[in-house]
Amino acid sequence: MSQSFVNPDQIRAWFSRAMSDMYKLEVPLYDTLLDLVAQVNAKTMAEQPELAAQLARTGEIERLDIERHGAIRVGTPEELANMRRVFAVMGMQPVGYYDLSPAGVPVHSTAFRATHESALQASPFRVFTSLLRLELIDDAALRDKAARILAARRIFTDRVLELAASFEAQGGLDEVDAQEFVAEALHTFRWHSEATVSLDDYRELHGLHRLIADVVAFKGPHINHLTPRTLDIDEAQAEMPRRGVSAKAVIEGPPPRKCPILLRQTSFKALEEPVRFAGPDGTTSVGSHTARFGEIEQRGVALTRKGRALYDQLLDLARSRISGAPNEGNAAAYMQNLQECFAAFPDDYAQLHDQGLAYFRYFLTGKEGAADASDPRTLIEQGYIQFEPLVYEDFLPVSAAGIFQSNLGDKAQAEYAQNASQAAFEQALGAPVKDELALYEDTQARSLAACMQALRAQAGAPVAA
């Protein structure tokens, strides 16, 4: 049967725009962040023309204004598995495994995103998705209560699951079904001001951990932040208070650098929002809940396994020099430690490339006449091929935990034994997660192969099929 299906990249782009429009209405400060980031980015490119040129060469400039990541938390394996099916319609796959329990957050997570560089160029939307780990709750009675509450809810509309099934059976959706899918999927991520539990039950769950209350007490996994991408997070951090936005004390991730690496994130504190709680006798109680917040991120170059090992070593060293997690009381000392420790990490793209610490994409310079198109290193040295940083598309466990903790507002974090269980997460997911480093390796290899093939063709050499 011949049928015209909409590209999943287009469905993802539609959904990303719809999600952003919805969140603007739900959280007005999000619109303030978008305006702030747009101004910071314009200023940064005006002041750093070499950065603007780099973004233009790599195509990053086209995706900068539309780039967003969101975050959600689900409560059951069934919810996680169906979330995977829904995101698959948008061309988003589970990438990476993150265990946040050592930082006192009882979840483990993955990031749903596109995996090929061309798909990321079309729409870089990604969603950090966490599964509540009920097995980490020591209180058996409360654990059972939470399980019963979660089992009774349905976070997806019947129609969106029907459309996901159609996508799986047919291999795609036509435009009418794709547009309906976006509208139906959006319902899952909406904020609901009515809780599914009584105020007493909410307080009991909240007393155990604020995140547990956030996951269990509501109708669905409301999007708890949407994050625009900035080119200068330090400037954005300084600008937030000028806009009446209270920023968290410490920017998560590596320190400021001439050549940014991985991911840096900041946020404003979660909003206190009114909630109606239904009592067992049919009465309604009014309370409040804090969960949704605003976040800004700056993305740098993706690091290789060797680079990540060095990053983790230096981050651990910086954190070991302060008492407890970074906070308002030790922010200045922590940032000073971070700068000092990361002096050992090369801050030059050529060194990062030559030492195998980071991933890059390769581009032809336009120079012709290569006598020998067989040795990439020589071709780079002779100016036929240039390399540009490959953007990090994923997340950092310590940074994610820091964002969670600062916005949940817990004074004393819960303590959970380090208990990573990727196998259990993948069983709940219904599929293995992809290795993010292997994806970067593939992108780097494809770009180099394309350059080499083109140069061989210029030289009149046989080109591999």
Side-chain angles (χ1 to χ4, degrees):
M1 179 178 64
S2 176
Q3 192 167 4
S4 178
F5 293 135
V6 178
N7 191 306
D9 295 343
Q10 181 62 68
I11 301 175
R12 183 171 68 259
W14 285 340
F15 184 79
S16 177
R17 283 197 296 269
M19 181 87 86
S20 188
D21 289 343
M22 180 186 77
Y23 204 63
K24 284 179 188 178
L25 296 175
E26 292 185 348
V27 182
L29 272 178
Y30 168 66
D31 209 13
T32 300
L33 286 192
L34 294 184
D35 180 63
L36 183 159
V37 166
Q39 291 191 24
V40 169
N41 287 350
K43 178 174 181 281
T44 302
M45 285 191 286
E47 294 175 348
Q48 301 181 40
E50 71 284 358
L51 174 60
Q54 180 193 83
L55 294 170
R57 283 194 302 271
T58 59
E60 289 294 308
I61 203 163
E62 285 84 5
R63 65 180 256 189
L64 185 62
D65 289 342
I66 63 170
E67 185 153 354
R68 302 285 185 274
H69 98 246
I72 58 171
R73 304 153 184 168
V74 297
T76 69
E78 181 183 15
E79 290 177 356
L80 181 66
N82 279 326
M83 196 64 73
R84 174 183 57 79
R85 297 175 63 214
V86 167
F87 282 136
V89 177
M90 306 181 221
M92 300 165 74
Q93 304 298 319
V95 178
Y97 171 77
Y98 306 88
D99 175 30
L100 274 60
S101 61
V105 184
V107 301
H108 47 185
S109 315
T110 192
F112 286 96
R113 67 169 179 88
T115 58
H116 193 282
E117 56 271 19
S118 62
L120 287 162
Q121 188 68 26
S123 174
F125 181 60
R126 55 183 81 78
V127 180
F128 189 79
T129 302
S130 301
L131 173 64
L132 179 62
R133 302 186 67 179
L134 288 176
E135 76 274 11
L136 297 181
I137 299 176
D138 290 332
D139 187 324
L142 197 54
R143 182 173 63 242
D144 292 343
K145 179 185 286 188
R148 288 195 303 272
I149 294 167
L150 290 170
R153 74 176 185 178
R154 295 292 178 267
I155 69 172
F156 299 98
T157 67
D158 291 341
R159 183 58 178 152
V160 80
L161 294 180
E162 289 171 3
L163 290 167
S166 294
F167 174 87
E168 292 161 354
Q170 300 173 163
L173 296 177
D174 62 26
E175 185 167 353
V176 172
D177 282 349
Q179 293 281 11
E180 185 182 9
F181 171 85
V182 169
E184 290 289 327
L186 207 60
H187 289 302
T188 297
F189 303 93
R190 291 188 187 281
W191 168 251
H192 297 281
S193 57
E194 305 86 15
T196 58
V197 301
S198 69
L199 183 55
D200 287 343
D201 282 344
Y202 172 82
R203 286 171 173 163
E204 193 174 14
L205 293 165
H206 187 279
L208 191 61
H209 198 293
R210 288 192 182 193
L211 184 140
I212 294 173
D214 184 60
V215 175
V216 176
F218 294 89
K219 295 179 180 179
H222 38 256
I223 191 83
N224 58 62
H225 62 268
L226 272 181
T227 304
R229 177 180 166 191
T230 185
L231 297 174
D232 187 343
I233 199 165
D234 298 286
E235 177 63 23
Q237 175 91 339
E239 182 65 21
M240 287 168 75
R242 300 175 196 143
R243 303 287 187 104
V245 179
S246 178
K248 72 187 296 293
V250 173
I251 295 173
E252 299 289 345
R257 292 167 48 86
K258 182 177 66 175
C259 300
I261 59 173
L262 296 175
L263 176 66
R264 302 182 72 210
Q265 298 170 286
T266 189
S267 66
F268 66 71
K269 295 296 179 67
L271 307 173
E272 184 172 331
E273 302 180 88
V275 176
R276 293 189 297 277
F277 298 90
D281 57 357
T283 60
T284 298
S285 301
V286 177
S288 64
H289 178 66
T290 55
R292 301 189 302 161
F293 57 92
E295 184 178 283
I296 298 173
E297 66 185 17
Q298 180 178 356
R299 291 187 172 271
V301 64
L303 299 185
T304 62
R305 298 177 199 279
K306 178 182 176 182
R308 278 300 298 270
L310 178 57
Y311 170 82
D312 290 341
Q313 174 190 337
L314 297 177
L315 183 66
D316 287 346
L317 179 60
R319 292 173 74 90
S320 73
R321 294 180 176 181
I322 60 171
S323 176
N327 55 48
E328 292 182 7
N330 61 23
Y334 174 67
M335 292 307 297
Q336 179 65 31
N337 290 335
L338 204 60
Q339 288 278 21
E340 292 173 358
C341 292
F342 271 83
F345 206 112
D347 197 8
D348 175 83
Y349 286 130
Q351 291 184 53
L352 293 173
H353 177 272
D354 293 347
Q355 294 181 35
L357 294 171
Y359 292 110
F360 293 84
R361 288 177 65 190
Y362 297 92
F363 299 86
L364 295 178
T365 62
K367 181 179 178 179
E368 297 183 359
D372 180 4
S374 61
D375 179 24
R377 185 173 293 276
T378 299
L379 292 167
I380 291 170
E381 291 172 351
Q382 294 178 349
Y384 295 98
I385 296 175
Q386 64 183 1
F387 52 84
E388 300 288 358
L390 181 56
V391 173
Y392 186 64
E393 305 287 350
D394 297 288
F395 298 91
L396 302 168
V398 172
S399 295
I403 292 286
F404 274 36
Q405 288 169 347
S406 67
N407 288 289
L408 290 167
D410 293 317
K411 297 297 183 184
Q413 293 297 322
E415 293 185 5
Y416 303 102
Q418 186 164 347
N419 190 23
S421 183
Q422 183 170 337
F425 184 85
E426 290 178 335
Q427 183 177 9
L429 183 68
V433 299
K434 295 184 180 296
D435 177 357
E436 65 271 25
L437 297 187
L439 296 176
Y440 298 121
E441 290 168 4
D442 289 347
T443 295
Q444 178 174 272
R446 276 193 295 268
S447 69
L448 182 58
C451 289
M452 298 297 290
Q453 187 174 34
L455 289 174
R456 290 190 191 102
Q458 289 179 13
V463 177

